[in-house]
Amino acid sequence: MSRLSAAVFPVLALSLSACASLPLLSDQSDTTMADPTQATAELPLPEVAWSKHTLDNGLTLLVHEDAKAPVAGVYVWYRVGSKDEPEDRTGFAHLFEHLMFTGSEHYDGEYFEPLTEVGATGMNGTTSTDRTNYYQTVPTRALDRALWLESERMGYFIDAVTEDKLEREKGVVKNEFKQRRDRPYGTMWDHLVQGSYPEGHPYSWPTIGEIEDIEAATLDDVRDWFKTHYGPDNAVLVVAGDVQTENVVERVEHYFGAIPAGPALHRPTRDIAPLPEEKREVLVDKVPQARLLMAWNIPPAFSEDTNLLELAGNLLSSGRSSPLHKVLVEEREIATQVSAGVWPKLLGSQFIIDATAAEGVSLAELETAIDEILEDFRSEGPDPDAVQRSRVRLYAAAIRGLQDVGGGGKADLLARSFALGGSPDAWREQLKQYRAATPEQVRDSTARWLKDNRYVLEVHPRGPRSTGAVADDRSTMPEPVGPPPALTLPERERFTLSNGLEVVLATRRGVPQVEFRFIADAGYATDAPDRPGLASMAESLRTRGTPSRDAIAISEDAESLGASLSSGVSRDHSTISLGAVRPFLDDSLALFADVLRNPTFPTEQFDRLRKRREAAIAQEKAQPSGLVTRTLPSLLYGETHPYAQPPSGTGTVASLEAMSPEDFHAYQQQWIRPDNATLLVTGDIDRAELAPLLERHLGNWQAASGMAAPSKRSLDVPEREDERVFVIDRPGAMQSYVVAARTAPPTGDRDDIAFELLNEVLGGTFTARLNQELRVKRGWSYGVGSALSDALGPRPFYVYGAIQTDRTAEAAAVILDELSGIRGNKPPTEEELNRAARSLTLTLPGNNQTLTQVTGSIAHLLRLNLPDDYYKHYVPQVNATTPEATIEAARRLIEPQAMTWLFVGDRAKIEAPLRALFGDKLRFLNRDGDAVDG
């Protein structure tokens, strides 16, 4: 729902060609793996075919055809960002990103609504230093609507801006500004850009701008800014997906052709602005851990040296065996996280190292250790085997990343490559350079650019303080053409291995990738009341040791195979996953079987992770949303309920101290076993090939002898009939985080679909009642919504949002009114239900483009015991739900006078108005969730 703005150095992580296809091995043991670094042939370089067209008004159009799903990505890249702002008008590009969602001459409304009603997915707009972009993925039948709306935004927007719209969006941006600065480390990146560039440089102010500049913006200012920067000749339009190029060109000429070109622009040129010497700054802020940023100004995106530095960042910090992670996090344990990478930009990029110090470690010690690693890298260069592993890892990332056609996928890739690299194929040229790069070239580029002339920012915790042609008539928005496409998931085959493990196979051809998900009936509902976080910790340790591999070997083997190994827990399940590319399928499955069957939960790894978990808990307690997620579950369910612990799975400091490796082995034996799980396999494989592979790697795996099938504690929870109000004091907070929650019936309940519709109407989308009332109409918040989680037991239903401090109680009163209204005198209208139904059903094809998305949809059915044909009946059931049915369901889901409220904010400012609203119901908690005197 939220609109994102300034990005933080998104590193282009796409494919490299490197390793040969290895034959599938027929009789390898579970732990034997061939050496992919010995391969001589290259994996195929991914390709995204495109055609380029230029309209008479200067608009650049790129078209890519991909028919795997009946959707099209529509993506507009305006060549205007914060770098183009006058110094006294900072934040204008970001303000315009917001304004340009608010309607046009021929459509007076928020842009999300007409797109949501046709089933659009991935809708957003973002602003960076170099560009403003807007994107959405729509069913192909609604392509005309998306093009009409984007052409309205480009050519028919500015005369629809009123003083009221401008003031409202200024208020929204100011709330975003406050929300960002209210978070730990919220001002760190602003200090980075201001400190690492000389005054007046186009990159020397933050993208979000300064409050005083935003407040000073007038209607004449914004009109002049729009007419200067948002013409078609300053934009790139990409249409990618299930389209025909000739038809797209015709439609784009129709909608965009009559928009006049903008004025000639002076464009800033390459301006790397390397610092003459090291520059250092210290920031003292409300943060739980000390943090260190180092930045070097380097050449623009896609240049030869910057490509080499992209590879250097990947080598320095990606994977457990990378020098920064291995030394700082694993061996010396002086950092809890570290990353290195390039923030690619048009005029000049930045190479950034970001490290968080472990408890008790000085930033001086951390910086010295980083400098030693960098000096070794600059002098010796990377290991050739590490370069090869990086190539395979990035090849696999490309295979996975090129399945989406919209924002974040192919459309974004083509636009970014063209605008920053000069050609839609710039990303492929970059990959070719990665493939050809030698360790010596990477070393030399690092030595050239990562010198002593860097910017260093120390962030220290603050001590405690006291308080062509166009249609003749644009007045009608195009309607979708043809019937909505149905969601078509691959047919499922079920079979059972000789050890009783149930396998569900969904074959999907077209991409050389196979995904495996071992879904165990476990999750953090298995944790004992005095061991919250145990299942999560066990799964975090799973890939850190087996009898034949230590943590580094597991990481290096996975990288060498282009495989992704992961494991995690939800309320009711533990899932161990493998993503494999076809050339290394057998070896990848051998690695997967090893970590699934044989984790050793090494003590030294547990000790390391325990310290990081303790740091993570401190981070959660430092953030309003983290305090809410840590505190709310026990308030809703009671402290001993299986769902009472934080959904992050971090547990508590006390539980971490009480855990031992014996607990993890007991968890593995009791819960992670073939008779307590289902194995889901999707992708480029059929049963004839899959079954023998699974039998070889998993068929002889048995549950521990004599151990009965496990059972969980009861999930029942009494339904509350009283209203409770809790406050956690956060002195100095600029906003209050507000949550109103209660438990709802489990997923699969008879009213489940009506519950979903109600949530959509109330707070499930940008255009829902709560957000329209509190953000769009009143400007008190950056976003307010509602959510209904999935669970096998009673699940949480909650309203949530960050509210400006002086409106906290008033916003709570509005939320109460909306909760009362939707189950009482303002039930969902037929129009609202139809809009919600479209949102839930028409988005299904767009949300199932990639193999990972398809795997997730099928896993959803398996986890919640839903039938295989669930989605076949889902759409007609949603469309058949009547207003009367939702009224009845609302009275089961929502009880305004029996909500559990939690406020995280400045008590000194919010207590009095909250008492006026709630009376003597207020109770005060500390950051551990314990009661304090009120």
Side-chain angles (χ1 to χ4, degrees):
M1 185 185 71
S2 63
R3 301 178 194 149
L4 308 178
S5 47
V8 177
F9 68 105
V11 178
L12 180 61
L14 291 170
S15 75
L16 331 161
S17 304
C19 302
S21 296
L22 296 182
L24 294 180
L25 306 177
S26 58
D27 49 14
Q28 288 283 333
S29 70
D30 284 346
T31 59
T32 303
M33 190 186 80
D35 182 5
T37 64
Q38 299 305 310
T40 55
E42 294 175 345
L43 290 168
L45 192 67
E47 183 175 4
V48 179
W50 52 271
S51 61
K52 178 174 173 286
H53 313 267
T54 304
L55 275 61
D56 290 343
N57 59 11
L59 177 66
T60 298
L61 169 66
L62 302 174
V63 184
H64 165 69
E65 298 184 13
D66 179 348
K68 71 173 178 297
V71 296
V74 177
Y75 186 107
V76 182
W77 177 299
Y78 290 97
R79 299 175 188 264
V80 55
S82 59
K83 77 177 188 312
D84 302 290
E85 298 161 348
E87 288 187 57
D88 61 347
R89 288 294 181 266
T90 64
F92 257 48
H94 176 249
L95 176 62
F96 255 78
E97 175 218 313
H98 284 258
L99 276 170
M100 290 172 73
F101 274 102
T102 61
S104 66
E105 292 179 32
H106 305 106
Y107 172 67
D108 185 19
E110 289 280 344
Y111 264 49
F112 287 101
E113 185 169 343
L115 290 166
T116 299
E117 72 176 12
V118 297
T121 58
M123 299 173 283
N124 214 336
T126 73
T127 313
S128 75
T129 53
D130 299 309
R131 60 99 183 101
T132 301
N133 63 357
Y134 297 94
Y135 50 88
Q136 54 268 304
T137 299
V138 297
T140 303
R141 62 190 285 271
L143 177 59
D144 276 88
R145 174 167 293 194
L147 292 173
W148 184 86
L149 284 166
E150 289 298 349
S151 65
E152 282 286 302
R153 181 155 28 209
M154 182 180 293
Y156 307 91
F157 155 75
I158 194 60
D159 288 339
V161 178
T162 63
E163 289 282 1
D164 179 65
K165 284 184 179 179
L166 176 59
E167 290 305 312
R168 189 177 65 221
E169 291 306 314
K170 284 160 68 172
V172 170
V173 170
K174 286 188 284 186
N175 268 303
E176 181 184 0
F177 185 96
K178 293 174 183 177
Q179 183 172 318
R180 186 169 300 189
R181 277 152 180 73
D182 217 18
R183 298 170 182 158
Y185 312 104
T187 62
M188 181 176 70
W189 297 103
D190 295 352
H191 281 270
L192 171 74
V193 298
Q194 291 166 336
S196 59
Y197 286 105
E199 185 176 355
H201 188 279
Y203 291 158
S204 64
W205 53 85
T207 299
I208 199 169
E210 298 296 341
I211 285 284
E212 55 269 23
D213 290 346
I214 295 166
E215 288 178 333
T218 68
L219 200 54
D220 287 340
D221 290 334
V222 299
R223 285 173 176 159
D224 290 343
W225 175 261
F226 176 82
K227 291 174 182 178
T228 301
H229 293 287
Y230 294 86
D233 49 332
N234 202 36
V236 179
L237 169 64
V238 183
V239 179
D242 187 15
V243 298
Q244 295 178 335
T245 300
E246 290 183 5
N247 177 261
V248 170
V249 175
E250 177 185 341
R251 305 319 295 157
V252 170
E253 287 276 7
H254 178 75
Y255 291 117
F256 291 83
I259 301 173
L265 292 174
H266 167 71
R267 299 187 188 278
T269 57
R270 174 178 168 130
D271 188 0
I272 300 172
L275 293 172
E277 58 188 7
E278 182 180 83
K279 179 179 179 180
R280 306 184 70 90
E281 291 186 312
V282 174
L283 171 64
V284 180
D285 201 359
K286 294 184 294 184
V287 297
Q289 294 170 267
R291 194 162 166 182
L292 184 70
L293 281 183
M294 299 177 174
W296 292 262
N297 296 345
I298 63 173
F302 293 108
S303 61
E304 182 175 345
D305 265 329
T306 300
N307 289 343
L308 290 168
L309 290 167
E310 294 251 23
L311 189 55
N314 189 283
L315 288 160
L316 278 166
S317 67
S318 294
R320 289 185 192 136
S321 61
S322 62
L324 287 173
H325 183 89
K326 181 180 179 182
V327 175
L328 304 181
V329 179
E330 299 288 342
E331 294 179 351
R332 295 182 59 181
E333 300 183 50
I334 60 174
T336 57
Q337 71 81 31
V338 62
S339 62
V342 170
W343 181 359
K345 292 181 276 188
L346 182 65
L347 308 182
S349 304
Q350 290 186 298
F351 187 94
I352 298 173
I353 295 178
D354 175 10
T356 303
E359 183 69 25
V361 175
S362 71
L363 290 184
E365 179 183 356
L366 183 59
E367 183 177 350
T368 298
I370 292 172
D371 285 341
E372 290 171 353
I373 293 167
L374 279 179
E375 180 56 37
D376 183 68
F377 196 88
R378 284 189 293 249
S379 59
E380 301 298 326
D383 180 79
D385 288 346
V387 174
Q388 182 69 5
R389 286 195 301 272
S390 186
R391 288 170 173 165
V392 180
R393 179 172 61 244
L394 294 175
Y395 169 80
I399 293 297
R400 298 179 182 114
L402 293 179
Q403 295 187 55
D404 193 300
V405 296
K410 295 178 181 178
D412 177 74
L413 177 65
L414 292 172
R416 184 169 67 248
S417 294
F418 181 71
L420 298 184
S423 164
D425 279 336
W427 67 277
R428 295 190 88 235
E429 296 306 312
Q430 182 184 54
L431 302 183
K432 290 178 183 176
Q433 186 180 350
Y434 289 170
R435 181 170 60 186
T438 65
E440 292 75 21
Q441 288 174 320
V442 176
R443 177 198 65 198
D444 294 346
S445 181
T446 306
R448 267 193 302 277
W449 289 100
L450 305 190
K451 299 178 180 178
D452 292 338
N453 58 333
R454 64 190 180 186
Y455 172 78
V456 180
L457 177 64
E458 299 179 21
V459 185
H460 292 275
R462 189 176 74 192
R465 294 181 178 178
S466 57
T467 207
V470 69
D472 294 334
D473 180 9
R474 294 189 63 91
S475 62
T476 303
M477 187 185 306
E479 293 296 327
V481 179
L487 172 61
T488 304
L489 294 176
E491 292 293 326
R492 268 82 80 201
E493 289 186 78
R494 293 176 181 265
F495 60 94
T496 303
L497 299 186
S498 58
N499 62 352
L501 175 61
E502 181 183 4
V503 180
V504 176
L505 169 64
T507 300
R508 194 195 202 211
R509 303 294 189 184
V511 177
Q513 180 183 356
V514 183
E515 293 199 359
F516 299 79
R517 293 196 186 181
F518 182 90
I519 304 169
D521 181 12
Y524 62 68
T526 65
D527 291 344
D530 64 342
R531 294 289 194 280
L534 192 150
S536 174
M537 176 62 82
E539 292 304 336
S540 296
L541 287 166
R542 179 172 299 282
T543 58
R544 292 179 171 270
T546 70
S548 58
R549 295 175 171 94
D550 62 14
I552 299 299
I554 290 171
S555 178
E556 289 184 345
D557 285 355
E559 291 169 9
S560 297
L561 297 166
S564 62
L565 278 175
S566 63
S567 61
V569 296
S570 61
R571 288 184 182 88
D572 301 300
H573 297 90
S574 299
T575 303
I576 298 94
S577 303
L578 166 70
V581 291
R582 284 284 317 190
F584 309 125
L585 179 58
D586 195 8
D587 287 340
S588 298
L589 190 53
L591 177 61
F592 175 67
D594 193 25
V595 300
L596 174 61
R597 298 175 59 172
N598 307 311
T600 54
F601 309 111
T603 299
E604 70 279 5
Q605 292 290 337
F606 171 50
D607 290 339
R608 289 172 182 160
L609 280 189
R610 177 164 47 196
K611 294 175 184 176
R612 286 183 227 166
R613 281 286 172 91
E614 290 171 351
I617 291 171
Q619 293 277 5
E620 289 174 357
K621 290 180 178 180
Q623 302 186 53
S625 58
L627 282 169
V628 167
T629 57
R630 290 194 63 80
T631 307
L632 186 63
S634 61
L635 297 179
L636 278 181
Y637 291 102
E639 293 184 358
T640 61
H641 191 277
Y643 289 173
Q645 67 168 289
S648 63
T650 49
T652 65
V653 173
S655 68
L656 289 170
E657 292 298 326
M659 291 178 198
S660 69
E662 289 74 22
D663 294 324
F664 308 135
H665 286 288
Y667 161 84
Q668 170 77 12
Q669 288 190 341
Q670 184 174 4
W671 298 102
I672 309 302
R673 42 195 279 179
D675 60 345
N676 191 48
T678 300
L679 179 63
L680 171 62
V681 185
T682 60
D684 189 18
I685 195 166
D686 57 27
R687 178 174 175 175
E689 183 180 10
L690 175 65
L693 283 171
L694 293 180
E695 282 291 349
R696 180 161 67 253
H697 294 294
L698 297 174
N700 64 352
W701 179 29
Q702 301 290 335
S705 178
M707 180 170 285
S711 60
K712 294 179 179 176
R713 292 179 287 138
S714 171
L715 298 176
D716 293 341
V717 61
E719 188 169 327
R720 292 191 176 275
E721 299 180 357
D722 59 322
E723 183 177 58
R724 300 178 304 155
V725 186
F726 300 94
V727 178
I728 298 176
D729 187 18
R730 194 166 180 264
M734 290 185 282
Q735 292 183 309
S736 301
Y737 205 94
V738 180
V739 176
R742 76 188 302 261
T743 57
T747 304
D749 180 86
R750 69 177 190 272
D751 285 327
D752 206 22
I753 286 176
F755 291 158
E756 287 189 63
L757 288 164
L758 282 164
N759 183 66
E760 288 290 301
V761 172
L762 180 67
T765 67
F766 183 88
T767 58
R769 290 183 179 185
L770 287 167
N771 198 61
Q772 289 295 300
E773 192 65 37
L774 290 167
R775 170 177 168 154
V776 177
K777 291 182 182 179
R778 301 173 189 256
W780 294 350
S781 172
Y782 185 56
V784 179
S786 63
L788 184 64
S789 300
D790 285 315
L792 294 176
R795 50 188 169 148
F797 165 73
Y798 50 94
V799 172
Y800 63 94
I803 307 293
Q804 63 188 61
T805 297
D806 62 340
R807 299 292 187 177
T808 301
E810 291 173 88
V814 171
I815 292 170
L816 268 173
D817 287 345
E818 293 295 338
L819 291 173
S820 298
I822 203 166
R823 72 186 300 276
N825 61 0
K826 286 176 57 182
T829 65
E830 189 166 344
E831 180 184 351
E832 285 179 315
L833 287 178
N834 288 338
R835 187 164 60 239
R838 290 192 294 268
S839 174
L840 291 174
T841 60
L842 299 183
T843 55
L844 291 172
N847 285 329
N848 284 274
Q849 295 181 64
T850 69
L851 181 61
T852 297
Q853 290 172 324
V854 169
T855 307
S857 292
I858 299 173
H860 174 79
L861 304 181
L862 297 175
R863 287 196 305 269
L864 297 170
N865 302 321
L866 299 173
D868 281 354
D869 62 354
Y870 175 81
Y871 288 111
K872 177 181 178 181
H873 301 292
Y874 177 77
V875 173
Q877 287 176 351
V878 169
N879 291 330
T881 303
T882 64
E884 292 74 20
T886 60
I887 293 171
E888 180 184 346
R891 290 169 182 162
R892 295 183 64 213
L893 178 67
I894 300 167
E895 180 49 70
Q897 301 308 314
M899 305 296 288
T900 295
W901 291 83
L902 179 59
F903 296 85
V904 179
D906 190 337
R907 176 179 176 177
K909 295 178 180 178
I910 66 177
E911 180 178 357
L914 287 178
R915 284 198 184 278
L917 180 63
F918 293 109
D920 61 0
K921 295 176 182 176
L922 266 65
R923 298 291 181 269
F924 296 91
L925 307 174
N926 62 22
R927 298 193 180 200
D928 292 320
D930 299 323
V932 296
D933 292 338

